[in-house]
Amino acid sequence: MGIEEYGGGQGPQSDVLVVTTNDVPGYTVQQVIGEVFGLTVRSRHLGSQIGAGLKSMIGGELKGLTKTLVETRNQAMERLVEQAKARGANAVLMMRFDVTEAADVGTEVCAYGTAVVLSRN
């Protein structure tokens, strides 16, 4: 697996800017739309669980689980952007991820932030 498979975030052509900061230099918040989120729950793949169990005995990165988590975060982020766009936003400020175990069957990943309308200064 190459480094591109372990990354995430937006591509350069996204309609909605997503940042972890409270503001964006050169832009003014014209309207605060409110909280938006993207949520997904993924079950664990049996093969990766077995591999993770074996790997945990000898140590090292659990590459299968890492790849799954990256894919899950990216899906949550896509849903966040879809919700923001549907509500008329062109940006999401203060984006964060929350990750929890979902009843021992999978992992819940939630991307959340504040949807806003930005304009250039």
Side-chain angles (χ1 to χ4, degrees):
M1 263 190 283
I3 191 68
E4 65 280 351
E5 293 182 80
Y6 292 107
Q10 296 181 282
Q13 305 300 324
S14 180
D15 295 339
V16 176
L17 176 67
V18 179
V19 297
T20 58
T21 57
N22 295 335
D23 52 23
V24 179
Y27 289 82
T28 301
V29 174
Q30 295 297 314
Q31 178 185 3
V32 174
I33 295 171
E35 181 187 13
V36 288
F37 65 91
L39 180 67
T40 185
V41 179
R42 292 274 179 107
S43 63
R44 293 184 191 91
H45 182 276
L46 181 59
S48 17
Q49 278 188 294
I50 293 170
L54 294 173
K55 189 74 167 185
S56 68
M57 289 187 244
I58 58 172
E61 182 180 9
L62 307 174
K63 290 185 180 184
L65 292 177
T66 300
K67 186 175 178 184
T68 299
L69 185 55
V70 167
E71 291 168 355
T72 304
R73 286 173 62 121
N74 288 341
Q75 183 178 47
M77 184 87 153
E78 288 169 12
R79 291 178 178 175
L80 168 84
V81 168
E82 288 171 14
Q83 187 183 54
K85 196 184 314 185
R87 294 183 60 193
N90 66 358
V92 176
L93 304 180
M94 300 175 289
M95 192 284 293
R96 302 287 188 264
F97 284 107
D98 184 45
V99 180
T100 58
E101 291 298 311
D104 294 331
V105 296
T107 303
E108 172 191 323
V109 175
C110 182
Y112 63 96
T114 303
V116 299
V117 175
L118 292 180
S119 64
R120 271 198 187 276
N121 290 344

